[in-house]
Structure formats: structure tokens, C-alpha cells
């Protein structure tokens, strides 16, 4: 499919040079095959076949729901952020192989087929619920094979700029743009546990229960230690009580006020003498109860005096953790990695590309981006050899996924003759070997 029968083209600067177009004989995304191997080892996209409902009939159902879901996820993982490229990807040999089924012998889904799948099938309420929960099910499957000794949840919001009259779009004064305002919850490994698309003008913590409660419910029966971190937007008494009732240790930043500063007044006096080049850092903790709180809670404070600055930098964290104040601050500072993961999602899978008019269509798109991000993060943290372990997801897309290959069909096999440029054969061999070593799921409670 997709092979050209036209004569070769020639260029003037070299008469011996010919340009030939072979369509489905070549691919630029051969690295997707290793992600498909991980997908198969964990049974990720396959689990959707039993839970997603399909209302299509007749010729509209040429491709299975699982095949269409794979095409949606893998195209986004490769940097194709919407369905506009589906017509070309339909004949791409890598995409046809990762989709499987009918696509292997013919073509993958066209632009119109993908559009109907994402805006008609997946927008059905039952399917949207399944799609929203799928990221969590993937992570649970992974934890069965690679259980950990703790769970740290980081919650943060972000911005997805909008254009035109998109439903739910609104001006956000903090970001100074017209946008959507999605909410994300990550774990300590960078996996996206849950996400929700929200209107652009909502508060950063709005609807936190819809995101956090399903995640907490999934981990309720586990015996590992559980923690939560959030910035000052999540300094909400209802959230403190919820986390305490669920047995979570938490560290949440507090906005400064006069009452809090009064507790550390002895640390706000400028140190005597010439300020050193290295900042002077002091820690303190105390019990504090705001008017809206049901009880007093521990607050850890950090005061930093920097050379050349007239006033100190002050931060407060409400917590139920034990240990010294410095340890609480150190634990909270790990929350910054969530901001890095949000940036990776924006750059690597481009999950801010939410360009549909209907809000529910964009909600579906965000969930598809989340699945693509998680598949990419799974491979990064589980299968990469030491030599490339430091690569970001953007680097992996450019160097691992974007590998050119020539496809040769034999009687009983298909050979991808891959260009050994950024990623040598040995790296591929190690990645595949690590995927195979994941083994069957374990039954441990973690």
C-alpha cells in the first residue's frame, strides 16, 4: 500500500542522482516498535477492548476499538498532536504494525475514521469515564510487576492556551491569556495518575476531589507509606482533613501572612556582619491554627538571607510529617519535579494541543495525551539502559522514535532495516531485553 509507480525524479547538480518515492516501503517512526513491545508485555492498550463500548455498525467498524485507540496514542507519542496527519500515517508501515489487525495487511484508519472515533465513540459518557480511569489501571498493572515502598502524589495545574470561541475557554488573569486550566496528579516516578480538563477561569485547586479521590481510592488497600505535596493553591482545610482521614502524610505550602511571620519574628532580623556569598538558611516549626481550620497543625518555616537582598525569602509549609523542619522543606521541594513533568508533557506529546470546539472533545484529547505520556514514561524508567537513562521524553522522541527504516516484506516476515544513527543496535537490544525481563505480575499488596 502507498507505493508509487511514477518514474524517478532527477536533479540538475548531479546527473547520476535519482529521487524515488516508495510510500509504505519507508518510515520515519520505526522506534515506536519498542514502545509497542512494552505495551504488549504489560497488556496496556489491550485491556481497553473489554471496557470500551463501540456503537459503530457496518463499514464504519473496519478497525477495532483497540486498534483505533493504539493509533490515537502512538501518533501522539510520535509528535502528531491531532488527527490531521492520520491520512499519511494510515499507510506508514510502523503505524500499521503497532495498530495491528486489519491495518497490517491494508491501512490504518483515515482522518475521518479517527475523527469519528475520538469525537463520537470516545465522547460517550461511559467511554469517557473508562478512558479517564485507564491511566490509573495502567499504573496499577505496572506496580504489580514493579511494586514500590511508598507513594508520593504531586498535584498541580497548568495552562492550555485556546483560540477562537472554544467551549469552556476563558481568560485567566494568572496566566494572562485565554485558555483551559487542566489539573494533574503525578506520582513520584512521573506517571500521570489522573488528569481533568477544566474551564479557563477556575481556581487552581477547583474540583480537586474529582482528580485526587479516584487515585486515593485505588491505593486505599495498599500497605505502603503514602504522601501528598501541593503548592499554596491547595492549602484548603477540607483537603487537610481528607488526607488525614486517608492516612497520608502531606506537605502543602502556605501563603505568608502577619500571624505566620510573627511566629518567626526572631529569624527576620538581618544577620550581623558582611553577608556571605552562600545564603544563610534558618528553619523553624510551630503549631498554628487559622480561623477556618478545625484544629491546630504543624507549620515548618524556612528563612533565607541572600547577599545583595534587603529582605529575606520566607516560606511556610503546613504538614503532619514528623522530623525536623529542614526535612519537611526538603521533602516539599521534591514537588518541583511535577512542574518538570508538566513541561515534558507539553513539549514531548504536546498535550496543550486542544483545538476542538466542543469541551468534551478536548477532554477526550487530554486523556489520550495522558495515555501517550504514560506509555513514554513507562519505557523511560523501566527499559532504558544506563547510557541513555538521562534522556528526556523529547530527546527520546527525536532520537529513539524518529528513526528512519526501510521495510522489506518476505514470505513469512517483515524486516525493518533501521538506520543506526542516534540510537545504535546495542541500545535497542538492551531495551528489548529489559522489557522481556518485566515478567508476570506479582501478587504483593503494593
Amino acid at each position: 500500500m502507498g507505493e508509487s509507480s511514477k518514474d524517478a525524479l532527477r536533479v540538475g547538480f548531479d546527473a547520476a542522482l535519482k529521487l524515488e518515492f516508495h510510500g509504505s516501503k519507508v518510515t520515519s517512526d520505526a522506534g515506536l516498535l519498542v514502545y509497542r513491545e512494552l505495551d504488549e508485555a504489560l497488556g496496556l492498550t489491550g485491556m481497553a477492548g473489554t471496557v470500551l463500548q463501540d456503537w459503530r455498525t457496518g463499514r464504519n467498524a473496519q478497525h477495532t476499538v483497540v486498534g483505533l485507540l493504539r493509533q490515537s496514542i502512538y501518533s501522539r507519542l510520535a509528535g502528531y498532536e491531532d488527527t490531521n496527519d492520520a491520512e499519511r500515517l494510515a499507510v506508514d508501515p510502523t503505524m500499521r504494525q503497532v495498530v495491528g489487525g486489519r491495518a497490517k495487511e491494508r491501512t490504518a484508519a483515515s482522518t475521518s475514521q479517527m475523527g469519528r472515533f475520538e469525537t463520537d465513540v470516545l465522547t460517550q459518557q461511559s467511554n469517557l469515564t473508562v478512558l479517564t480511569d485507564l491511566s490509573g489501571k495502567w499504573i496499577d498493572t505496572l506496580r504489580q510487576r514493579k511494586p514500590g515502598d511508598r507513594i508520593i502524589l504531586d498535584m498541580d495545574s497548568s495552562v492550555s492556551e485556546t483560540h477562537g470561541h472554544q467551549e469552556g475557554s476563558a481568560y485567566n488573569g494568572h496566566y494572562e491569556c485565554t485558555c483551559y486550566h487542566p489539573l494533574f496528579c503525578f506520582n513520584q516516578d512521573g506517571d500521570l495518575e489522573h488528569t481533568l480538563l477544566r474551564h479557563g477561569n477556575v481556581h487552581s485547586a477547583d474540583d480537586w476531589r474529582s482528580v485526587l479521590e479516584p487515585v486515593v481510592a485505588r491505593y486505599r488497600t495498599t500497605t505502603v507509606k503514602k504522601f501528598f505535596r501541593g503548592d499554596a493553591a491547595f492549602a484548603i482545610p477540607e483537603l487537610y482533613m481528607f488526607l488525614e482521614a486517608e492516612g497520608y502524610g502531606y506537605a502543602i505550602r502556605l501563603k505568608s501572612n502577619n500571624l505566620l511571620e510573627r511566629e518567626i519574628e526572631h529569624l527576620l532580623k538581618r544577620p550581623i556582619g558582611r553577608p556571605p556569598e552562600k545564603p544563610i538558611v534558618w528553619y523553624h516549626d510551630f503549631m498554628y491554627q487559622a480561623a477556618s481550620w478545625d484544629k491546630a497543625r504543624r507549620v515548618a518555616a524556612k528563612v533565607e538571607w541572600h547577599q545583595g537582598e534587603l529582605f529575606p525569602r520566607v516560606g511556610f509549609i503546613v504538614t503532619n510529617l514528623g522530623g525536623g523542619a529542614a526535612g519537611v522543606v526538603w521533602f516539599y521541594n521534591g514537588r518541583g519535579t511535577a512542574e518538570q513533568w508538566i513541561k515534558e508533557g507539553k513539549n514531548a506529546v504536546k498535550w496543550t494541543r486542544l483545538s476542538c470546539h466542543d469541551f468534551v472533545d478536548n477532554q477526550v484529547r487530554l486523556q489520550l495525551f495522558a495515555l501517550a505520556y504514560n506509555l513514554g514514561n513507562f519505557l523511560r524508567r523501566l527499559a532504558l539502559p544506563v547510557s541513555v537513562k538521562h534522556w528526556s521524553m523529547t530527546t527520546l522522541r527525536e532520537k529513539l522514535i524518529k528513526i528512519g527504516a526501510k521495510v522489506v516484506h518476505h514470505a513469512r516476515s517483515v524486516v525493518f532495516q533501521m538506520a543506526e544513527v542516534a540510537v545504535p543496535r546495542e541500545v535497542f537490544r538492551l531495551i528489548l531485553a529489559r522489557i522481556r525481563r518485566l515478567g508476570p505480575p506479582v501478587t504483593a499488596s503494593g
Side-chain angles (χ1 to χ4, degrees):
M1 295 296 299
E3 296 179 13
S4 175
S5 60
K6 296 182 179 180
D7 295 335
L9 302 179
R10 295 182 179 274
V11 293
F13 69 88
D14 188 342
L17 185 62
K18 297 180 180 180
L19 306 180
E20 295 185 354
F21 295 81
H22 291 286
S24 63
K25 286 186 178 180
V26 295
T27 178
S28 61
D29 300 311
L32 284 176
L33 296 173
V34 296
Y35 290 86
R36 181 67 178 86
E37 180 76 358
L38 178 63
D39 178 2
E40 187 69 16
L42 298 176
L44 301 179
T45 55
M47 70 175 64
T50 59
V51 289
L52 286 176
Q53 299 182 32
D54 190 359
W55 283 272
R56 299 171 303 154
T57 59
R59 294 182 60 84
N60 289 331
Q62 296 178 36
H63 299 277
T64 66
V65 168
V66 173
L68 293 169
L69 181 66
R70 284 175 182 155
Q71 188 167 340
S72 291
I73 293 172
Y74 282 93
S75 60
R76 286 170 168 82
L77 187 58
Y80 307 105
E81 59 264 31
D82 51 34
T83 60
N84 294 338
D85 295 290
E87 209 68 42
R88 179 175 67 82
L89 293 175
V91 298
D92 182 89
T94 299
M95 186 59 65
R96 288 162 57 197
Q97 289 293 324
V98 299
V99 168
R102 178 185 183 275
K104 292 171 63 176
E105 302 300 326
R106 296 192 176 184
T107 65
S110 65
T111 298
S112 60
Q113 290 171 323
M114 291 303 301
R116 287 193 297 270
F117 172 66
E118 294 186 7
T119 60
D120 292 339
V121 176
L122 293 182
T123 53
Q124 299 292 328
Q125 186 56 54
S126 59
N127 280 342
L128 180 54
T129 300
V130 167
L131 191 68
T132 302
D133 294 338
L134 200 54
S135 283
K137 293 182 181 299
W138 282 16
I139 295 170
D140 290 343
T141 299
L142 185 60
R143 285 184 61 84
Q144 289 177 346
R145 289 166 170 81
K146 295 290 183 181
D149 61 350
R150 65 181 56 195
I151 296 165
I152 304 175
L153 301 179
D154 292 303
M155 184 171 281
D156 205 353
S157 64
S158 185
V159 57
S160 295
E161 291 193 40
T162 55
H163 307 278
H165 301 283
Q166 292 178 252
E167 185 181 8
S169 172
Y171 182 79
N172 187 295
H174 176 75
Y175 295 109
E176 298 182 339
C177 67
T178 303
C179 63
Y180 290 131
H181 195 184
L183 185 61
F184 300 92
C185 181
F186 296 89
N187 63 30
Q188 72 274 15
D189 296 312
D191 304 325
L192 181 53
E193 296 273 358
H194 205 91
T195 183
L196 178 70
L197 188 65
R198 306 174 300 174
H199 291 188
N201 57 353
V202 301
H203 184 267
S204 294
D206 189 70
D207 220 3
W208 63 266
R209 286 186 179 273
S210 297
V211 175
L212 186 59
E213 283 188 339
V215 180
V216 170
R218 286 183 20 244
Y219 291 123
R220 190 166 287 142
T221 59
T222 62
T223 57
V224 299
K225 295 180 180 179
K226 290 168 275 192
F227 304 92
F228 176 90
R229 295 181 293 213
D231 65 15
F234 300 94
I236 306 169
E238 292 78 12
L239 180 55
Y240 309 154
M241 292 187 288
F242 172 77
L243 293 169
E244 289 162 358
E246 294 289 345
Y248 276 71
Y250 60 83
I252 302 173
R253 191 175 184 89
L254 285 176
K255 292 182 179 178
S256 180
N257 61 48
N258 292 335
L259 293 177
L260 290 172
E261 291 184 359
R262 189 178 303 166
E263 296 286 345
I264 60 168
E265 191 172 4
H266 59 290
L267 302 178
L268 300 181
K269 298 179 181 178
R270 190 171 184 84
I272 299 175
R274 182 183 296 275
E277 293 185 5
K278 187 176 180 180
I280 299 174
V281 182
W282 292 325
Y283 298 95
H284 185 59
D285 65 328
F286 52 91
M287 298 301 294
Y288 169 78
Q289 182 175 1
S292 59
W293 295 8
D294 63 320
K295 64 179 182 180
R297 290 179 171 87
R298 183 189 183 202
V299 173
K302 179 183 180 182
V303 179
E304 292 183 82
W305 288 94
H306 288 255
Q307 188 180 56
E309 296 183 8
L310 184 59
F311 300 102
R313 304 178 188 180
V314 180
F316 298 97
I317 299 168
V318 59
T319 184
N320 63 348
L321 300 176
V328 172
V329 173
W330 177 85
F331 173 75
Y332 172 81
N333 287 341
R335 194 200 67 82
T337 56
E339 298 178 359
Q340 179 62 34
W341 294 323
I342 289 176
K343 290 179 181 178
E344 287 215 320
K346 289 181 177 180
N347 295 329
V349 297
K350 303 182 181 180
W351 63 29
T352 56
R353 175 74 171 183
L354 305 173
S355 55
C356 292
H357 172 270
D358 293 351
F359 185 80
V360 67
D361 293 350
N362 288 316
Q363 183 71 268
V364 166
R365 285 195 170 194
L366 181 61
Q367 303 306 327
L368 292 170
F369 281 121
L371 293 171
Y373 166 88
N374 275 335
L375 180 56
N377 193 58
F378 289 173
L379 185 115
R380 175 173 61 178
R381 69 184 187 87
L382 293 176
L384 292 187
V386 176
S387 60
V388 296
K389 194 77 173 179
H390 62 285
W391 282 3
S392 68
M393 286 180 62
T394 303
T395 302
L396 286 170
R397 187 192 68 208
E398 299 302 324
K399 293 187 176 183
L400 179 62
I401 294 177
K402 296 295 182 182
I403 293 180
K406 178 182 178 181
V407 183
V408 179
H409 292 264
H410 298 295
R412 296 184 179 180
S413 64
V414 180
V415 178
F416 278 68
Q417 298 177 345
M418 305 174 75
E420 192 171 358
V421 184
V423 180
R425 180 181 182 277
E426 181 61 19
V427 171
F428 264 83
R429 187 190 67 80
L430 290 173
I431 291 175
L432 293 174
R434 291 189 175 202
I435 292 174
R436 296 187 186 105
R437 286 201 300 266
L438 287 175
V442 298
T443 57
S445 60

